[in-house]
Amino acid sequence: MAQGVKGKLNYRCPRCLMREIDMDMLYDNENKEYYCIRCSFIGDEKEVQRVNAQFREKYVDRINRISDF
Ligand SMILES: [Zn+2]
């Protein structure tokens, strides 16, 4: 694998985030991908943002009290 560097934006690994682990990803300039050294997540910026959006969805209703089921 090519030498990883810190990306211009420091993204957290979305997959680790789902397990409540705060992990910065490294950027692979050659493949233009971010990757996580902890869980082997690999994805370009779009993929990172997509999984991040998925993660946020989980908490989208957190400020509303849900009383109807
Ligand atoms: Zn990870």
Side-chain angles (χ1 to χ4, degrees):
M1 191 179 271
Q3 194 70 26
V5 293
K6 290 271 177 191
K8 43 185 159 42
L9 268 171
N10 236 359
Y11 281 115
R12 286 193 177 94
C13 173
R15 203 180 282 167
C16 285
L17 204 56
M18 283 192 194
R19 301 190 191 107
E20 312 202 332
I21 297 162
D22 191 358
M23 192 75 200
D24 277 349
M25 286 192 294
L26 294 176
Y27 187 67
D28 182 348
N29 270 319
E30 224 164 85
N31 297 319
K32 309 240 177 296
E33 281 175 337
Y34 290 89
Y35 66 92
C36 174
I37 49 172
R38 194 178 180 283
C39 73
S40 75
F41 170 89
I42 299 177
D44 59 13
E45 197 164 349
K46 256 203 187 126
E47 173 71 2
V48 174
Q49 282 167 351
R50 192 184 63 81
V51 187
N52 267 334
Q54 231 173 52
F55 174 75
R56 271 196 292 271
E57 224 163 66
K58 208 168 114 179
Y59 295 103
V60 77
D61 282 331
R62 72 191 182 282
I63 50 171
N64 298 319
R65 180 181 291 263
I66 298 175
S67 51
D68 292 325
F69 292 99

